[in-house]
Amino acid sequence: MVTMPDEPVVRLASRQPPANGTVTSRTELPVRVEEDLLEARHAVRAAALAVDLGLVDQTRVVTAASELVRNAYIHGGGGTLVIERLDRRGRLGIRLTVTDQGPGIPDLDAALDDGFSTGPGLGHGLGGARRLMHEFEVLSPPEGGTTVRATRWAAG
């Protein structure tokens, strides 16, 4: 049996991404205009249903996706959402990868703290998304651009 950590795994730019299993399905969506945010939510909900996430976990994943794509749209000038369905030795999951070409995140530790915001929001987005997922990785090199990978596994 595979056990999942209670706390999210956070990996910064200098570390390798986690080995998340075999990708069984991949969908790529643009995040360019505000309407793309709603399309992203619907696509993530459909993918969460496809890997048999329960209602609470579906809500967690959709909420995390909403925060991440909104960040890419607002702070990164748009980007891309990739939704992957995963299979790790029979355990199904969903991985979200949100990428933008914006200025990056100069202080990642501060950005992950609740209350930190460079915009009009409450500052719960990045840290909140991290808490909703089992695995969480942020890559934001000094030259700019940000990639966030977040994975949630179905109970099993």
Side-chain angles (χ1 to χ4, degrees):
M1 180 169 132
V2 178
T3 58
M4 297 295 141
D6 291 332
E7 293 298 315
V9 176
V10 178
R11 291 182 169 82
L12 306 179
S14 62
R15 298 188 183 165
Q16 294 295 319
N20 282 335
T22 303
V23 176
T24 61
S25 172
R26 184 178 192 277
T27 303
E28 186 171 324
L29 300 168
V31 178
R32 306 263 184 267
V33 296
E34 194 162 351
E35 290 77 22
D36 292 340
L37 304 179
L38 183 58
E39 186 175 339
R41 288 177 60 89
H42 290 301
V44 169
R45 170 104 36 215
L49 282 167
V51 297
D52 294 325
L53 289 179
L55 182 59
V56 172
D57 283 340
Q58 289 173 40
T59 303
R60 287 178 175 135
V61 172
V62 170
T63 301
S66 294
E67 294 294 345
L68 297 175
V69 296
R70 182 166 295 285
N71 281 349
Y73 174 67
I74 292 172
H75 301 292
T80 304
L81 166 65
V82 175
I83 306 164
E84 295 171 307
R85 285 187 264 162
L86 306 171
D87 185 334
R88 181 164 65 187
R89 296 183 297 273
R91 189 162 192 189
L92 301 179
I94 183 172
R95 178 172 49 211
L96 309 174
T97 303
V98 179
T99 305
D100 69 55
Q101 298 303 312
I105 303 172
D107 187 345
L108 186 55
D109 290 331
L112 288 166
D113 284 341
D114 281 345
F116 177 86
S117 179
T118 59
L122 297 174
H124 297 298
L126 199 56
R130 176 181 63 175
R131 286 188 298 277
L132 293 169
M133 304 298 279
H134 289 125
E135 298 169 3
F136 195 86
E137 172 185 39
V138 179
L139 305 167
S140 192
E143 61 270 16
T146 300
T147 298
V148 179
R149 288 187 193 97
T151 305
R152 181 108 195 144
W153 296 98

